[in-house]
Amino acid sequence: MMAIITFIATILLPPLGVAMKHGLDRDFWINLVLTLIFFVPGVIHGIYVNFLRGGTHAIA
């Protein structure tokens, strides 16, 4: 269930989705900059970081 909520948050507000899974670390700041430059790179980076990249270090 949490994965679905994280996915929806990543699509609607990419930095929020990344922060939900990884906290306010380097990935969050990269995603925030990408989202501010243009929305689509932020979504792509958020999906990659949250669901495709191995070695996740989730908060919860």
Side-chain angles (χ1 to χ4, degrees), residues 26 32 43 56-58:
R26 180 176 47 110
L32 182 65
V43 172
T56 61
H57 47 285

Side-chain angles (χ1 to χ4, degrees), residues 24-54:
L24 299 179
D25 66 348
R26 180 176 47 110
D27 290 325
F28 168 78
W29 295 107
I30 292 171
N31 191 276
L32 182 65
V33 169
L34 287 172
T35 303
L36 290 175
I37 291 172
F38 191 63
F39 186 75
V40 174
V43 172
I44 293 170
H45 178 261
I47 291 172
Y48 172 74
V49 167
N50 284 344
F51 300 104
L52 300 177
R53 184 172 69 182

